[in-house]
Amino acid sequence: MTTAQSFRSDGHGSLARVGVAVCHGFTGSPVSVRAWSDFLADAGFSVNMPLLAGHGTTWQDLSRTPWEHWYRDFEAAYLELSSRCDTVFVAGLSMGGTLALRVAAKHAVGGVAAVNPVLTFGDPRAKYSGLLKHVLKSTPAIGDDIKAPGITEGAYARTPVAAVHELGKLLADTIALLPSVVAPTLVFRSSVDHVVPESSMALLKARIGAEEFEAVSLANSYHVATMDNDAQQIHSQSSDFFRRHARAI
């Protein structure tokens, strides 16, 4: 089984100087995007897939981690690739997609590929997490929203309410920056997603500054689509997207 560790590849062949920073989601781990990262690395891309602060250990660790540390870790992966590549793309699942959009607002990325990025909450209680965190430490897990049987992303068994409050601050910050995301953007959206509401996609379409924006519907996957029935579609279409735009730059 793939472990919840970071992953890096130096790339090979004609794509070695094309980088892709890949990010996992909230309460999850690199397990959820490892197959995607492996596919890109095998194709020749340079890849950096970090383990975000507060993840891959215990939910109690996550409850003590500010959102800025999640962003810091993913931005560092992007910057590391930038030091050795001509073009760097950002990609991510769920909150990883959100972080990818924020990096794209701050840096001249080659493009963005996001899978079910989160910008709004589906659970109405989330808006009160700043108060609830003082009386309720955690809630049941939000992980493993996967249609294919027998697959787990290795997410925490509990969701820390304090971290939900931090996630809300990240979302508000990123929404304000969306007009600054001008790089070509490819978004995969599951037709059934029990974690991220459709309002996230509507908000992204309304606010993003990118002239080139493509939304791809995934008909046979739930939220963790990178481990679900449509994973191969994500792999191949994102790879084609990166190749196409690396040549255009």
Side-chain angles (χ1 to χ4, degrees):
M1 177 180 174
T2 303
T3 57
Q5 296 176 340
S6 59
F7 168 77
R8 276 183 55 186
S9 172
D10 290 336
H12 60 266
S14 62
L15 293 174
R17 294 188 65 83
V18 179
V20 186
V22 185
C23 193
H24 66 80
F26 180 67
T27 78
S29 77
V31 170
S32 64
V33 289
R34 181 58 190 265
W36 191 9
S37 298
D38 284 344
F39 180 90
L40 295 171
D42 290 345
F45 294 97
S46 290
V47 177
N48 194 327
M49 178 191 72
L51 172 64
L52 301 180
H55 292 78
T57 54
T58 66
W59 68 260
Q60 290 89 346
D61 281 345
L62 184 58
S63 71
R64 296 186 289 267
T65 307
W67 73 264
E68 291 90 347
H69 289 194
W70 310 331
Y71 178 74
R72 173 201 66 194
D73 290 348
F74 188 56
E75 183 183 44
Y78 165 80
L79 292 173
E80 188 278 326
L81 285 169
S82 294
S83 71
R84 58 188 173 95
C85 295
D86 298 324
T87 308
V88 182
F89 297 88
V90 287
L93 165 69
S94 192
M95 183 185 78
T98 312
L99 292 171
L101 289 165
R102 193 174 193 278
V103 169
K106 298 283 189 177
H107 300 277
V109 306
V112 183
V115 180
N116 294 321
V118 56
L119 290 169
T120 59
F121 287 116
D123 189 332
R125 296 173 299 173
K127 68 177 68 173
Y128 305 112
S129 56
L131 296 172
L132 287 173
K133 68 180 182 179
H134 300 294
V135 294
L136 182 66
K137 297 300 182 186
S138 67
T139 59
I142 60 170
D144 286 349
D145 187 34
I146 301 171
K147 186 175 184 179
I151 297 175
T152 179
E153 62 172 317
Y156 288 145
R158 304 287 296 179
T159 300
V161 177
V164 174
H165 185 220
E166 291 299 314
L167 176 58
K169 290 190 281 186
L170 167 63
L171 301 188
D173 181 271
T174 303
I175 289 168
L177 291 171
L178 285 177
S180 298
V181 180
V182 295
T185 301
L186 173 66
V187 178
F188 297 92
R189 176 64 180 157
S190 296
S191 55
V192 177
D193 185 332
H194 302 99
V195 178
V196 172
E198 194 59 32
S199 55
S200 285
M201 191 64 161
L203 183 59
L204 179 58
K205 288 180 177 179
R207 300 285 184 87
I208 195 167
E211 291 186 8
E212 182 180 333
F213 180 91
E214 181 182 2
V216 175
S217 179
L218 302 175
N220 201 27
S221 296
Y222 294 160
H223 181 64
V224 191
T226 49
M227 299 184 76
D228 217 329
N229 296 310
D230 297 308
Q232 291 302 317
Q233 179 182 349
I234 294 170
H235 297 171
S236 60
Q237 287 191 238
S238 64
S239 177
D240 290 345
F241 173 79
F242 300 145
R243 289 172 186 267
R244 185 167 69 252
H245 288 285
R247 287 197 298 268
I249 293 173

